[in-house]
Amino acid sequence: MEGKAIVVLEGDQTGQELLEEALRVLAPEVTGVSLRFERFDLSLDSRRATQNEIVHQAAAALREAGLGLKAATITPEASGDVGSPNRILREEIGGRVIVRTGRRIPGVIPLGGVHAPISVVRMAVGDAYGAQEWREGEGEDEVALRTERIERRICRSVAEFAFRLAEQTGAKVFGGPKYTVSPVYEGMLKEEMDAAAARHPSVPYDPQLIDATFALLLGSSGDPLVVPALNRDGDILSDLVLPLFGSIAGSESLLVAFEEDYVPRVVLAEAAHGTAPSLEGKNVANPMAMILAGAALLSYVDGADAQAAARAIREAALEAVADGVRTADLGGHAGTSEYTDEVIRRTRSKLEVWSTL
C-alpha cells in the first residue's frame, strides 16, 4: 500500500480505545491524505511477552518512518518488570523535546482567565530525571546528594524549537529557568534562549524566572505563549498549565527528535492523559485529545492536502464541542463513537467546501 507511513503504537485500556477513534478520523477516506498505518502492540501483555522487544521494534520503525501515534500505556510499578515504554522510545529515537499544548475548549470555563493557547516545550532527557543519587553519613548527619546533567545540544533544541513554534503560531516565548540562582547549570538554557531570540527577532520574547513564570501564568489571558523549560520544571509546568483550561481533553503531547539543523526528524504524538481503566468498554471516554494528537501529527506530513486536513480536524473537534456534541467529562451526553462520528462528518464537510474555493 502506498502513502506516508505512520507508526501506530497500540496501548492499554481506554488508551487503545481512543487510539482507534483517532485512526478513524485519520483514515484516507476521511482526510483525502494517502496514509498507511504500521501497527505495533505495546500493551502491557505484549511488552511482558516479548520482554520489551516489541518496543525496540517499534522504535526502529519510528526512526524509519519519522511519524508515530501512540496510545496511553500502563507502566507497572514493580521493580524488575518491563517498565515504561516511553523511556525506551525516547532514548532510541533520540527524542530531545517534549511539547504539551493546553488550549481553551468551547463551553469549558478556564481557571484564572486564561484563554489563549499555552505550549510547554521541555527537555525530554537529562536534568533531575536519570540523575545519579546517593547518601552519605548516618543519623542526623546523613546527607543525600544528586548529580544532575544537561547538555547544550538539548538546551539549543528546546530553545530553537520554542522560537520556531512561536513563529508559526504567532505566540510569545515566555518564561525560563532560575538562571540567577544557577547561572552555570540553569544558565545554559537561558543562554540558548537568548541566542534563539537573536536568530528570531520577529518573535516576542519575555524571559522570566521559573517562579515568576508560575505566578504570571495564573493570570495569563491575552497572548498565546510558548514556555521553554528544563525537564523537571517542564513536567511540573505541564501539570499546572493543562488543567488551567478546565480540562486536559484538548491537550496533545509531542516527542520530537531532530536533524542537525533542528528540523524535526521523528515526531511521536499522543494524548496527555492516561489509560482511565474505570472507563474501559463503556463508550464514554473523550477521544478529543487523541484526535488532536492525530491532527498535530498530520501537520508534519508534507503537502497542502495534509495541512488542510490537519486544520479541518482541529476545527471540527472544537466546533463539535461548541455545538453541544460533548462527552460526559465536558457535561454532555455523547458517547465516544458518537463524538468521533461528528468530528468525521464535520471534517469531510470542511474539506469538501474548501476544495471548491
Side-chain angles (χ1 to χ4, degrees), residues 129-150:
Y129 304 132
Q132 181 183 359
E133 296 183 336
W134 71 97
R135 292 182 183 179
E136 297 177 355
E138 297 179 353
E140 292 185 357
D141 293 327
E142 185 179 21
V143 295
L145 301 99
R146 177 167 67 194
T147 301
E148 299 179 4
R149 169 192 173 96
I150 58 174

Side-chain angles (χ1 to χ4, degrees), residues 9 40-44 46-48 50-63 70 73-76 80-96 98 124-125 255 257 265-266 268 270:
L9 308 182
F40 293 82
D41 181 2
L42 266 57
S43 67
L44 181 57
S46 175
R47 285 179 279 137
R48 283 173 169 164
T50 65
Q51 286 297 294
N52 277 333
E53 178 58 30
I54 189 67
V55 186
H56 297 292
Q57 293 174 8
L62 276 169
R63 291 194 302 269
K70 180 183 176 295
T73 50
I74 296 172
T75 297
D81 209 328
V82 289
S84 169
N86 295 333
R87 178 188 60 80
I88 297 172
L89 293 169
R90 191 162 53 238
E91 291 174 355
E92 295 201 3
I93 69 171
R96 294 185 181 179
I98 295 172
V125 294
L255 171 66
R265 176 173 55 83
V266 180
L268 177 60
E270 60 184 323

Side-chain angles (χ1 to χ4, degrees), residues 284-298:
V284 297
N286 190 345
M288 179 189 291
M290 275 304 303
I291 290 172
L292 290 173
L297 196 67
L298 202 56

Side-chain angles (χ1 to χ4, degrees), residues 4 68 81 84 208 210 226 306 315 343:
K4 177 64 178 176
D81 209 328
S84 169
Q208 298 284 343
I210 186 62
V226 177
E315 291 184 3
V343 172

Side-chain angles (χ1 to χ4, degrees), residues 20-302:
E20 298 295 349
E21 298 298 311
L23 293 175
R24 288 176 56 205
V25 179
L26 288 176
E29 58 267 27
V30 175
T31 63
V33 181
S34 181
L35 301 173
R36 55 187 173 89
F37 302 120
E38 300 179 2
R39 301 179 75 122
F40 293 82
D41 181 2
L42 266 57
S43 67
L44 181 57
D45 288 344
S46 175
R47 285 179 279 137
R48 283 173 169 164
T50 65
Q51 286 297 294
N52 277 333
E53 178 58 30
I54 189 67
V55 186
H56 297 292
Q57 293 174 8
L62 276 169
R63 291 194 302 269
E64 177 69 23
L67 298 174
L69 187 64
K70 180 183 176 295
T73 50
I74 296 172
T75 297
E77 297 181 2
S79 176
D81 209 328
V82 289
S84 169
N86 295 333
R87 178 188 60 80
I88 297 172
L89 293 169
R90 191 162 53 238
E91 291 174 355
E92 295 201 3
I93 69 171
R96 294 185 181 179
V97 168
I98 295 172
V99 188
R100 289 191 167 182
T101 299
R103 60 177 59 83
R104 180 85 178 266
I105 301 173
V108 177
I109 299 174
L111 305 177
V114 63
H115 63 80
I118 301 175
S119 295
V120 177
V121 180
R122 64 180 256 225
M123 297 176 179
V125 294
D127 195 29
Y129 304 132
Q132 181 183 359
E133 296 183 336
W134 71 97
R135 292 182 183 179
E136 297 177 355
E138 297 179 353
E140 292 185 357
D141 293 327
E142 185 179 21
V143 295
L145 301 99
R146 177 167 67 194
T147 301
E148 299 179 4
R149 169 192 173 96
I150 58 174
E151 302 174 46
R152 187 167 292 279
R153 66 169 57 86
I154 305 298
C155 292
R156 189 166 298 172
S157 297
V158 168
E160 182 64 21
F161 187 89
F163 273 85
R164 291 186 186 185
L165 179 61
E167 204 164 42
Q168 293 165 6
T169 59
K172 174 170 66 175
V173 174
F174 178 83
K178 189 83 169 179
Y179 61 90
T180 53
V181 172
S182 176
V184 174
Y185 182 85
E186 301 198 20
M188 185 179 287
L189 176 57
K190 177 61 162 54
E191 291 166 10
E192 291 300 331
M193 290 168 57
D194 292 344
R199 293 192 295 270
H200 301 273
S202 64
V203 176
Y205 178 43
D206 184 8
Q208 298 284 343
L209 300 178
I210 186 62
D211 48 350
T213 300
F214 274 99
L216 293 169
L217 280 175
L218 292 174
S220 172
S221 58
D223 295 323
L225 302 176
V226 177
V227 186
L230 298 168
N231 200 344
R232 190 171 68 172
D233 284 352
D235 195 359
I236 299 169
L237 268 173
S238 296
D239 288 344
L240 168 74
V241 165
L242 303 190
L244 281 180
F245 293 88
S247 171
I248 65 170
S251 304
E252 74 277 4
S253 178
L254 304 178
L255 171 66
V256 186
F258 297 95
E259 304 282 6
E260 290 304 313
D261 55 0
Y262 300 98
V263 172
R265 176 173 55 83
V266 180
V267 179
L268 177 60
E270 60 184 323
H273 56 65
T275 59
S278 64
L279 304 181
E280 185 180 6
K282 298 178 181 177
N283 196 36
V284 297
N286 190 345
M288 179 189 291
M290 275 304 303
I291 290 172
L292 290 173
L297 196 67
L298 202 56
S299 69
Y300 285 91
V301 176
D302 291 335

